[in-house]
Amino acid sequence: MARITEAEVRHVAGLARLAITDEEVTHFTEQLTKILEFAEQLDELDTTGVEPTTHALDLKNVLRKDEVRPSLPREEVERMAPDWENGQVRVPAVFE
Amino acid sequence: MSLFDHGVAKLHTLLKEGEVTVTDLVKESFDRIEATDDKIGAFLTLNEDAFEQAKRMDELAKTSDDPLFGMPIGVKDNIVTKGMRTTCASTFLENFVPAHDATVVERLHDAGAVTIGKLNMDEFAMGSSNENSAFKPVRNPWDPTRVPGGSSGGSAASVAAGQVLFSLGSDTGGSIRQPAAYCGVVGMKPTYGLVSRFGLVAFASSLDQIGPLTRTVEDNAYLLNTIAGHCDMDSTSAEVEVPDYTAALNQDLTGMKFALPEEFMAEGVAPGVREQIEKAIETLKSLGATIETVSIPSVKYALSAYYLLASSEASSNLARFDGIRYGRRAEADTLDEVFTYSREQGFGDEVKRRIMLGTYALSSGYYDAFYKKAQQVRTLMKQDFAKVFEEYDAIVGPTAPTTAFKLGEQLDDPLTMYANDIMTIPVNLVGIPAISVPAGLSEGLPVGLQIIGNYFDESTLYRVAHAFEQANGGFKMPQL
């Protein structure tokens, strides 16, 4: 059984960098359990020796020449991020 | 009478003859949006420069040879547009203004199409009803108490309501075809890799594909002609020759063989949908096609495999929304709190649910049981579909098991909501193309016929869909 516990939900939320409320923990525990139980129907299929498909097409590595190309202008990129200063993204201090 | 009743080919002639101007077409769009969008809610952002652009283009219209020149288009709001807000219908990106155009948008502009605005959707394309938009739901033009489908609900509703001539959507598990079916328009999910994903905000990268929603099959072919083809900026873009898809139209179906999977007509298909699809099958037969019932047993497992794979990919793709580089940042003291609070405040319930599911499925100890297992099932499905295409030219069936349901009806139960996509999801897992074409009404609501083809065989889909449309009557405008 894929019963997922509240502790696991909190752990997964931590991995996903989601600050979730107690209420969300309760309803995600219930809903994820249902979804995972449903997903267990896959166990009915024997997949011994079956290669996993990662992609619809059989693609090879696609490489381009290592050439300098024009980049996006900084003043336009600045509009995308919430906090800029002197041409750089500003973030809270990482180290004390 | 709307100018858009004419379709691309006729409008192109009228523009060249000077009977219609680009400004007329843009005005038609804005007037109709003004008159109907309070009811429909299809648009999140309008292009303020559209009339200026139209004015500049008016003089050039008579000498333009591109069929899309001057045509008004709506773009789903997960496709980036330079200088025009692109929100993915998420609070997280409420004020996000991209610095570049997606390849598809660039190609449309090169062709002379005019972007009217950005279309509402389920947040980050996760949903089947458009109720997951952070800003407002989209309503079905056929009945505003009902959903338009999703996630490209705005794309389908805006075309059905006559607000734009056509639109772009994206399809990860049915997000073009299911809303096209619910709103009575034509929606094409091309082969994976045919249309560049550069500038499409990624949901599930191995499944996502951009495609056209239109009133008619012919217009759909014109639009795909413009957006299809290799792109250097998308490493999964296929290196294939793109044919002229309009060349596939106006052919009969003599000698063609179609498969009807019994799994697509099983219990769960609403009687009214079944009835219209059975009629559609008779129509296809009368056009010269042979149709045989087949079984594709693995489609039963598509939904499970899909939600594991798509959610896993989404959990990874949406990690980029960290409050640092794009969109919203929560007030917080530490860097880690910036991540967690920005994501808590910026994402809606369904997005969080899928990030959680995906993170769990990829986490240590569960990877083999869920993610790898689902990938193996994907292989089995590819094999099953390959077998069908050894014998048949296409697969036919309903696009969705029901017609449009009421707003709020399925919100409480994710599994019921997910089941709307049971007939469209296998196509994304396998990576093949499929089109939904209007197949009449059931109790006043549109039903869609889905035609599924082999890899890069969009021409066959257009051929079949066009023959069916001509025999069946095609697009009808809902009374609004």
Side-chain angles (χ1 to χ4, degrees), chain A residues 6-66:
Chain A
E6 293 203 353
E8 281 178 304
V9 166
R10 286 183 199 277
H11 172 67
V12 169
L15 293 176
R17 296 291 183 274
L18 282 171
I20 60 172
T21 61
D22 290 346
E23 201 182 312
E24 281 176 317
V25 170
T26 311
H27 93 243
F28 280 144
T29 304
E30 191 189 312
Q31 288 175 336
L32 291 177
T33 295
K34 270 195 204 161
I35 295 169
L36 290 167
E37 277 172 0
F38 175 68
E40 279 182 342
Q41 66 157 194
L42 295 184
D43 293 340
E44 293 169 15
L45 283 171
D46 182 7
T47 51
T48 319
V50 176
E51 278 294 308
T53 292
T54 51
H55 243 267
L57 305 175
D58 295 321
L59 292 164
K60 292 187 292 273
N61 272 339
V62 179
L63 303 172
R64 68 165 173 85
K65 286 206 179 106
D66 187 17

Side-chain angles (χ1 to χ4, degrees), chain B residues 293-423:
Chain B
T293 301
V294 300
S295 175
I296 311 179
S298 60
V299 301
K300 187 179 146 199
Y301 301 97
L303 206 57
S304 295
Y306 172 83
Y307 276 93
L308 292 172
L309 294 171
S311 302
S312 296
E313 292 185 25
S315 73
S316 165
N317 274 326
L318 270 62
R320 79 191 62 195
F321 300 108
D322 53 8
I324 305 297
R325 289 163 294 169
Y326 316 95
R328 178 190 186 90
R329 179 182 300 178
E331 290 289 326
D333 296 331
T334 68
L335 190 61
D336 207 51
E337 282 173 4
V338 167
F339 298 153
T340 55
Y341 294 148
S342 298
R343 290 162 68 78
E344 161 72 4
Q345 294 165 19
F347 291 145
D349 202 45
E350 181 63 28
V351 174
K352 286 180 191 163
R353 185 157 42 242
R354 296 206 199 182
I355 290 174
M356 294 284 292
L357 176 63
T359 306
Y360 179 79
L362 291 176
S363 68
S364 160
Y366 299 103
Y367 180 86
D368 281 358
F370 291 116
Y371 188 71
K372 190 179 162 203
K373 182 83 184 180
Q375 285 187 315
Q376 289 173 315
V377 172
R378 197 174 175 185
T379 305
L380 297 178
M381 294 191 58
K382 283 180 80 168
Q383 292 167 352
D384 278 2
F385 275 81
K387 264 183 232 152
V388 175
F389 286 116
E390 277 170 19
E391 272 189 67
Y392 298 93
D393 298 299
I395 297 168
V396 294
T399 305
T402 65
T403 53
F405 48 92
K406 298 248 184 197
L407 270 86
E409 200 177 306
Q410 299 188 1
L411 265 185
D412 294 337
D413 183 1
L415 280 175
T416 309
M417 185 69 91
Y418 296 170
N420 288 295
D421 301 327
I422 197 138
M423 287 135 180

Side-chain angles (χ1 to χ4, degrees), chain B residues 142-153:
Chain B
W142 289 86
D143 175 357
T145 68
R146 291 176 188 272
V147 303
S151 64
S152 310

Side-chain angles (χ1 to χ4, degrees), chain B residues 54-360:
Chain B
K55 220 163 114 188
R56 283 199 301 273
M57 292 168 70
D58 276 336
E59 283 174 40
L60 307 167
K62 287 185 190 173
T63 52
S64 163
D65 284 326
D66 200 299
L68 293 199
F69 190 90
M71 306 291 160
I73 187 160
V75 178
K76 188 177 180 180
D77 211 21
N78 59 349
I79 298 172
V80 300
T81 41
K82 184 178 173 178
M84 200 188 298
R85 198 171 73 117
T86 300
T87 69
C88 294
S90 178
T91 309
F92 208 111
L93 295 178
E94 191 165 3
N95 299 309
F96 172 58
V97 179
H100 68 92
D101 279 325
T103 298
V104 288
V105 172
E106 212 173 81
R107 289 188 181 174
L108 284 168
H109 288 173
D110 289 349
V114 183
T115 304
I116 296 300
K118 302 302 291 291
L119 292 161
N120 205 352
M121 54 186 280
D122 283 300
E123 184 179 3
F124 287 108
M126 298 176 188
S128 310
S129 71
N130 231 287
E131 292 163 292
N132 296 337
S133 167
F135 306 119
K136 56 184 176 183
V138 179
R139 290 166 183 278
N140 194 313
W142 289 86
D143 175 357
T145 68
R146 291 176 188 272
V147 303
S151 64
S152 310
S155 304
S158 63
V159 173
Q163 297 175 336
V164 282
L165 179 60
F166 42 39
S167 66
L168 290 184
S170 68
D171 191 316
T172 305
S175 283
I176 288 172
R177 292 158 287 154
Q178 183 251 21
Y182 281 9
C183 292
V185 302
V186 180
M188 167 71 102
K189 198 288 292 183
T191 306
Y192 183 84
L194 182 69
V195 176
S196 169
R197 291 185 298 113
F198 181 66
L200 172 67
V201 179
F203 159 16
S205 309
S206 80
L207 304 164
D208 296 342
Q209 190 63 187
I210 295 171
L213 292 100
T214 56
R215 289 187 178 199
T216 66
V217 175
E218 181 178 89
D219 285 2
N220 208 282
Y222 276 116
L223 192 44
L224 189 62
N225 273 352
T226 301
I227 62 172
H230 182 73
C231 166
D232 281 342
M233 301 299 280
D234 172 1
S235 62
T236 61
S237 171
E239 300 249 20
V240 288
E241 278 291 307
V242 177
D244 174 4
Y245 295 111
T246 62
L249 311 176
N250 297 312
Q251 297 177 45
D252 70 11
L253 306 181
T254 309
M256 293 189 98
K257 267 179 82 178
F258 304 144
L260 173 65
E262 59 187 18
E263 291 80 4
F264 287 175
M265 293 294 257
E267 58 176 318
V269 177
V273 171
R274 184 186 301 274
E275 192 185 318
Q276 292 306 317
I277 296 304
E278 279 165 359
K279 267 196 224 166
I281 303 275
E282 289 312 309
T283 304
L284 292 171
K285 282 182 186 164
S286 73
L287 293 167
T290 313
I291 295 169
E292 290 169 2
T293 301
V294 300
S295 175
I296 311 179
S298 60
V299 301
K300 187 179 146 199
Y301 301 97
L303 206 57
S304 295
Y306 172 83
Y307 276 93
L308 292 172
L309 294 171
S311 302
S312 296
E313 292 185 25
S315 73
S316 165
N317 274 326
L318 270 62
R320 79 191 62 195
F321 300 108
D322 53 8
I324 305 297
R325 289 163 294 169
Y326 316 95
R328 178 190 186 90
R329 179 182 300 178
E331 290 289 326
D333 296 331
T334 68
L335 190 61
D336 207 51
E337 282 173 4
V338 167
F339 298 153
T340 55
Y341 294 148
S342 298
R343 290 162 68 78
E344 161 72 4
Q345 294 165 19
F347 291 145
D349 202 45
E350 181 63 28
V351 174
K352 286 180 191 163
R353 185 157 42 242
R354 296 206 199 182
I355 290 174
M356 294 284 292
L357 176 63
T359 306
Y360 179 79

